[in-house]
Amino acid sequence: MASHIMPWRKANNLQRLDIYNGLLLIPNMDKLFDRGYISFSKTGKIIFSEFLSNEDKRIFNLTSSLRLVHLEEGHLPYLQYHREYCLL
């Protein structure tokens, strides 16, 4: 599924259509990302919200070794926004 990094409701029209304001994530990660339970560092490494329990991580098969495979410079400002304003 395609996820907007900066939420649609917060983005302007240019940001909504910017290819760098999007990530392709599997459905369970898409939902966790949209709800602020996970985010990604500037190197693409997964970041977990303190509200995501170890049991939740186990259920969703999430490990700290997960990372984005394809990350461009254009993604970085959007990911910074997500970490600052969306990560719980």
Side-chain angles (χ1 to χ4, degrees):
M1 298 188 80
S3 280
H4 280 91
I5 302 170
M6 177 184 282
W8 183 270
R9 69 187 177 283
K10 299 289 185 179
N12 64 37
N13 287 336
L14 291 175
Q15 293 164 328
R16 289 176 180 153
L17 299 176
D18 187 349
I19 62 170
Y20 296 110
N21 187 22
L23 297 173
L24 289 175
L25 300 172
I26 61 174
N28 62 333
M29 290 185 77
D30 174 66
K31 187 63 79 174
L32 292 170
F33 184 78
D34 283 348
R35 298 213 173 160
Y37 289 105
I38 63 170
S39 193
F40 297 94
S41 74
K42 62 183 178 182
T43 61
K45 188 174 185 279
I46 195 165
I47 300 169
F48 300 110
S49 164
E50 62 184 51
F51 297 104
L52 193 66
S53 71
N54 287 332
E55 179 65 10
D56 294 331
K57 293 176 200 172
R58 188 192 66 73
I59 290 168
F60 289 108
N61 198 29
L62 300 174
T63 66
S64 59
S65 64
L66 291 172
R67 60 181 304 113
L68 297 172
V69 176
H70 185 75
L71 190 60
E72 302 269 342
E73 191 73 28
H75 289 108
L76 300 182
Y78 292 111
L79 285 172
Q80 181 176 347
Y81 177 93
H82 192 271
R83 289 190 305 270
E84 290 179 15
Y85 299 105
C86 301
L87 186 63
L88 300 173

